[in-house]
Amino acid sequence: MLHVPLITPFDATGAVAYDALEALANEVLASGAAGIVALGTTAEPGSLSDSEKRTVVDLIAGVCVSRRAHLIVGAGVEHADATAALALVPPFVRPGEAGVIAYFDALAEASPVPLIIYHVPYRTGQPLSAAAIRRLAEIPGVVGMKYAPGGIDADTIALLADPPFQMLCGDDLFLAPMLALGAHGGILASAHIATAQFAELVSAPSRELGHRLARLSSALFAEPNPTVIKGVLHAQGRIPTPDVRLPLLPAAKSNLTLPLRESLASST
């Protein structure tokens, strides 16, 4: 399954461009995504007010309900129509594997919806062994993982050979090899661009398409996410500005040429 963690578009005044957000939600679902992540890290949630967050989630939920699509919400967000919540491994504090397991035990017990764990150790500072991930999969209410270890190592190969729960690729660049190893799909910011092709790759892995989309993903992550993605969406006329909020800065225009070219190549 393919899920797209939607950006938050802004208009020329700096306000959230809700019409553009609704259009994006409809576009990615119409193009083959199975669901949307609302207020994931790609959405710049730390820069949004509580009111903006509520409106964003309500809007995306309405689109998902009307299209019978999955709605995954960021951690700390509740919505009656949510299929699951995406919960980050505790960042910065590095509690150790036992602490991570205890944390998700408590979080899953309190959560009104199932949890998908977001494991991204190069951001959180907390590695997890294959054994620890299998222990997390035993927790009632934990149904999957957005898996973004930053590469493919022996633990990745062992996990994907016998996945303990839904393993969703979160490293866009490694989608094709992770699918080949046994991943069930992905939560991919790159899939804002060439959504239909990412959905095709998830449903029917192809070496040629995998190579093309890996090049696209590499170009889209040339600067901090989602700055290049927003620049490309703006250049395509799909959002009113390429703007982001601090601490992010807009992508350099020179970094938009390659992903625009790759997006055209991937759609042919």
Side-chain angles (χ1 to χ4, degrees):
M1 291 189 296
L2 171 66
H3 292 79
V4 181
L6 276 194
I7 62 141
T8 303
F10 302 119
D11 65 23
T13 72
V16 176
Y18 293 110
D19 288 348
L21 178 64
E22 184 175 14
L24 276 178
N26 277 293
E27 286 169 12
V28 298
L29 293 176
S31 295
I36 290 173
V37 178
L39 296 182
T41 52
T42 302
E44 303 172 69
S47 73
L48 302 179
S49 69
D50 289 343
S51 175
E52 287 172 330
K53 290 178 185 177
R54 286 192 297 271
T55 306
V56 165
V57 174
D58 286 344
L59 187 154
I60 294 174
V63 174
C64 288
V65 169
S66 68
R67 291 184 170 273
R68 298 183 179 180
H70 299 150
L71 170 66
I72 300 173
V73 295
V77 178
E78 293 187 11
H79 198 282
D81 296 310
T83 306
L86 186 64
L88 185 65
V89 169
F92 187 72
V93 293
R94 302 179 69 184
E97 291 185 341
V100 171
I101 292 166
Y103 171 78
F104 280 110
D105 259 323
L107 191 63
E109 185 175 0
S111 176
V113 295
L115 299 182
I116 297 173
I117 296 171
Y118 184 11
H119 177 43
V120 54
Y122 53 88
R123 291 184 182 271
T124 64
Q126 177 60 64
L128 293 174
S129 65
I133 291 173
R134 292 191 183 280
R135 173 63 186 88
L136 288 168
E138 296 172 356
I139 298 173
V142 173
V143 296
M145 174 172 281
K146 179 181 178 182
Y147 185 65
I152 295 174
D153 59 13
D155 272 354
T156 301
I157 294 169
L159 278 168
L160 295 182
D162 181 23
F165 49 12
Q166 286 284 311
M167 295 290 290
L168 301 172
C169 175
D171 275 325
D172 300 32
L173 188 63
F174 300 111
L175 174 62
M178 284 197 181
L179 289 170
L181 289 168
H184 299 96
I187 297 177
L188 307 166
S190 297
H192 283 85
I193 317 298
T195 310
Q197 288 68 46
F198 276 98
E200 178 186 349
L201 182 63
V202 168
S203 62
S206 156
R207 182 175 181 178
E208 180 183 358
L209 183 56
H211 278 228
R212 283 157 49 193
L213 293 179
R215 289 196 301 268
L216 173 59
S217 293
S218 180
L220 290 171
F221 280 83
E223 295 192 45
N225 184 50
T227 60
V228 179
I229 290 171
K230 281 190 162 185
V232 172
L233 290 172
H234 175 60
Q236 293 175 331
R238 297 169 64 191
I239 60 175
T241 75
D243 295 349
V244 289
R245 290 180 178 174
L246 292 173
L248 296 174
L249 296 173
K253 290 184 179 180
S254 60
N255 282 328
L256 304 184
T257 303
L258 181 56
L260 281 166
R261 185 169 68 242
E262 291 292 344
S263 67
L264 290 172
S266 296
S267 63
T268 58

